[in-house]
Amino acid sequence: MTNKDARTPASVQDAQSEEAGKSIGWHKAYVEGTRPDLRVPVRQVHLTNGQAVTLYDTSGPYTDPLVDTDVRRGLPPLRENWIISRGDTEEYAGRPVRPEDDGIKHTSPRGGLRNLDAVFPGRPRQPRRSRDGEAVTQLAYARRGEITPEMEYVAIRENVAPEVVRDEIAAGRAVLPANVNHPEIEPMIIGKRFLVKVNANIGNSAVTSSIEEEVEKMTWATRWGADTVMDLSTGRNIHTTREWVLRNSPVPIGTVPLYQALEKVDGRAEDLTWEVYKDTVIEQAEQGVDYMTVHAGVRLAYVPLTANRKTGIVSRGGSIMAAWCLAHHRESFLYENFEELCEILAAYDVTYSLGDGLRPGSIADANDEAQFAELRTLGELNRIAKRFNVQTMIEGPGHVPMHKIKENIDLQQEICDEAPFYTLGPLTTDVAPAYDHITSGIGAAMIAWWGTAMLCYVTPKEHLGLPNRDDVKTGVITYKIAAHAADVAKGHPGAQEWDDALSDARFEFRWEDQFNLALDPDTAREFHDETLPAEPAKTAHFCSMCGPKFCSMKISQDIRREHGGTRTEIEEGMAQKSKEFAASGNRVYLPIAD
Amino acid sequence: MTNKDARTPASVQDAQSEEAGKSIGWHKAYVEGTRPDLRVPVRQVHLTNGQAVTLYDTSGPYTDPLVDTDVRRGLPPLRENWIISRGDTEEYAGRPVRPEDDGIKHTSPRGGLRNLDAVFPGRPRQPRRSRDGEAVTQLAYARRGEITPEMEYVAIRENVAPEVVRDEIAAGRAVLPANVNHPEIEPMIIGKRFLVKVNANIGNSAVTSSIEEEVEKMTWATRWGADTVMDLSTGRNIHTTREWVLRNSPVPIGTVPLYQALEKVDGRAEDLTWEVYKDTVIEQAEQGVDYMTVHAGVRLAYVPLTANRKTGIVSRGGSIMAAWCLAHHRESFLYENFEELCEILAAYDVTYSLGDGLRPGSIADANDEAQFAELRTLGELNRIAKRFNVQTMIEGPGHVPMHKIKENIDLQQEICDEAPFYTLGPLTTDVAPAYDHITSGIGAAMIAWWGTAMLCYVTPKEHLGLPNRDDVKTGVITYKIAAHAADVAKGHPGAQEWDDALSDARFEFRWEDQFNLALDPDTAREFHDETLPAEPAKTAHFCSMCGPKFCSMKISQDIRREHGGTRTEIEEGMAQKSKEFAASGNRVYLPIAD
């Protein structure tokens, strides 16, 4: 998105000299709000024609050369003063961190108590939660009519009035995930009135990956445009990995607490209890997780509805809860304790992401009874959450053929009172493993156009393995394309200006501007240089695709040069020549009527 | 698509022993028609559960181990007897091949006359055209009620009745591109009632590439599923490259004769004449080109309509014709001589692909006056072509944001009497050079769902350079995804069976079957093996994505095993346990009503 207001020079603070920025084509700048500690980062692209284009920036302080980042220290706590000055939260001792939080058993020879200082060397900080009786969520503030610094921040980012932000949050149509224990984030908003957002999943699995890799994947994903990151780690070091990710993340972090809870009971779903789960939620809330996927809609009665499915239950959380329900032949403990869970989340301003545990795992299972039964329950839970002032979004599928996509968003919006929809794709066909970023990018673009607020990315490794660095980038870029295509189709203010700026550069053969405006400047430049690496080719009026003689844009430019640039000029030129031609008596000119 | 009829063992001829096929997971087979020389190739995938899935196959004799192919000899002339036995065509001396056909000037030191025997060593053959007064196009046959072997062939391929094929061709809703001088092709059909087709562009440009590379790109593209190939070569060796491509292609070949005509006048658009163009069309028709893009809709009066566009004219053919029109300030020679052109194309059964020379080259220019003015002219030309029994399809954009896509197909179908629409993408955003296979794959899937019959692929190199081998594959796979997603959404008979077969394999952890059923088995296998290369992992009930403990499909399977496989069994099991539980008096079981 281009941000018109942000172009006003007075409001833009340069992170580095504009001269330095021009040499690499762009630089990081900040738009200041109504207070000096409210500075919204933007990516300022400098064009060779002297103009500048301002783009939304998710990359955090890592791309600001004036900020000295250190992963062992964590990012500066941007929101700390805002949170403290509200005076409605307090620090407290917090739950002690235990070895089993990291998957280490008491009996393990490698076990033994460790504390957080040891596993994350950075800033020791006590957790914070609401004072008794205080409602500390952005939803509560919005309902009271308050515009928080967080709301002003996202208003600047989205190029809308702060009142729009407050109204959308108050109505439950948007969420601003911002745990009081995650002061490092640069606030962002998720709702259909705003830019479509993209989530990237990271997380080690039992099979592979390390803490450092996950932190690096997070910064890498945000570098390419991820608006939030979900840490889906399982296995060992799950607490420590999350701590590192949180302390270094400029974007909200989401988790699925059920995964860690399951680790605490050695992977036996039937051994899960509300107590273990609750303890895990508090553990993660104290660390600063901004939103949590909760599969409270997988009710006992719905499990048999999946029996005739082609691919059963494909959500990890959904299958764990289904196994628990059947093993105990009783209602889900998440459903039964949902109100207490709301109280916990409200105390930290953790946002619900109500999980679709029964989402379809194949084209054949799309839009079936099980899926929609759960959706109706999510609508019910959404209303309960709102009673507790808990911000809530709703997760959606999955695998859905194109002709069945619209029903998903329409039903969700109706049943869930327009709460933000957060979908995984959907994949529009099952036949292309290794290309599911594309099978799902198609569905993602469509469902976002129709109103989905955030898209969970899918990488080329989906169904096959754990994504590496390249896969993460490919997934993010593919989903940024889907999101932006939707922003354009929705007519989001300013969205098409970005396309227009790039198209202008293309028509005028400003190759460097095309690269710098591209979603992925590196790859665009690399592809161009593969066949025409020489520096003069960067200003050439053609590329290797068609060569100089066949370049339609060049011919098109020549036409304008010869016959005038505007329609009137071309028409007048044509009429004049027509007269000359007719006067010559050589051949009658036939004006073409349309 | 899975082909149910083709599964009938009696009708399937094995190209290699089924045993040999099973060892690699699939083998090439043939479905025999009503005559022994009518054998339709299919890809027979052998599953480890003993079942087989039959898929549409575009790869030609190259994947048949019993056929000995040699690019210097060309493919066997499959249709030769069908064409000869109709008795309505005759051989004739044909136009002499001239050095300038290959871009060699008479004055060039490297020039000198060459003949076709020298430049293509394979089968020398005189060209063939209709006898006086004979109508030899598939459209003419269909209108007369004849079902040709070509029509029967595509009926078997598409799994429909031959009468459906004949009716769709007769109504002009489908084309079967099959030049009488291209007997090597395996007939295929393009129309909205049939599977969505994909075209891959190849062609050297003035800047790079060689003859051998282009032939290899063609076989490579069809290997991955391209249904037709357009040879867009420019520069030197254009005639010879085309000859090699045609003689070795199992799929219809399309061209843009204007490109070669421009070469013959040394790249000066204003020097083009109807005579040079006509000579080029005859040259290419004699070689066997199956369909030709003709930009006859770029009329003089429309050129000024592009003056206020962001990106002017972006079709090469369109910009050449616009330059010609303005230079001579007169009507397009293609438009003025369209009827004579119809007579030529009819004599060889060359299919028109009426080019959209004024298609938008950016989101900003989509659906504008220039584009739709040309479309109305294409509708007019379509009706003229039909008078001459020339099969016709209509080309479409280009760059179109999602919310403006449907208008394109709806208008085209209305204006062009439901003639097949053949679109390039469309790209749904301009901001992602290097990923335009994805920006356009999104638009392609949508427009195909709504009725587009064939999609022209876009590779990652679009706007940046000439595609290499990997780019061609990525482009074809992306577009096969778009086409198949559309087939599923349209409810094409049998389309979803392919998805279902793969999803069954996925749920049952039949990894080898997943790979073999995948659009790209090689990459799927490679991605899986990156993290879990060991052979036992091919039968493991999990992958590295979630690991064994968190595999939802495994948990889902465990649930079915423990609680019964069907819904009734699970419900009965639940009811039984519920009774036991209630009887125990331990805790009241609450049956959940929904």
Side-chain angles (χ1 to χ4, degrees), chain B residues 378-396:
Chain B
L378 298 187
E380 174 197 327
L381 298 174
N382 172 56
R383 283 189 290 277
I384 295 171
K386 296 292 164 58
R387 284 211 326 262
F388 288 84
N389 279 318
V390 181
Q391 303 189 81
T392 304
M393 52 187 174
I394 311 290
E395 294 185 9

Side-chain angles (χ1 to χ4, degrees), chain B residues 230-361:
Chain B
M230 288 195 80
D231 176 7
L232 303 183
S233 293
T234 58
R236 286 210 172 234
N237 298 322
I238 194 168
H239 180 102
T240 305
T241 301
R242 188 167 51 236
E243 187 68 28
W244 282 67
V245 167
L246 279 162
R247 298 290 72 83
N248 286 292
S249 173
V251 302
I253 296 296
T255 60
V256 186
L258 195 63
Y259 297 173
Q260 187 180 11
L262 189 69
E263 295 288 353
K264 290 181 182 174
V265 295
D266 293 325
R268 286 189 294 268
E270 62 274 22
D271 289 354
L272 280 168
T273 63
W274 164 240
E275 286 66 34
V276 169
Y277 184 83
K278 183 169 92 172
D279 172 67
T280 307
V281 167
I282 292 170
E283 172 190 346
Q284 299 195 5
E286 289 178 348
Q287 284 187 289
V289 169
D290 300 288
Y291 65 90
M292 296 183 187
T293 295
V294 178
H295 297 95
V298 182
R299 297 186 61 179
L300 177 64
Y302 304 155
V303 181
L305 302 181
T306 67
N308 296 329
R309 277 184 160 184
K310 196 158 277 295
T311 46
I313 301 174
V314 297
S315 144
R316 286 193 244 171
S319 61
I320 294 164
M321 287 312 298
W324 188 92
C325 288
L326 289 184
H328 296 276
H329 40 92
R330 54 168 294 191
E331 184 57 278
S332 152
F333 63 81
L334 292 176
Y335 181 78
E336 290 196 329
N337 295 284
F338 192 73
E339 297 202 351
E340 188 179 347
L341 190 56
C342 289
E343 284 172 1
I344 298 167
L345 265 55
Y348 303 91
D349 198 4
V350 174
T351 297
Y352 269 123
S353 184
L354 294 178
D356 57 334
L358 301 182
R359 67 170 173 266

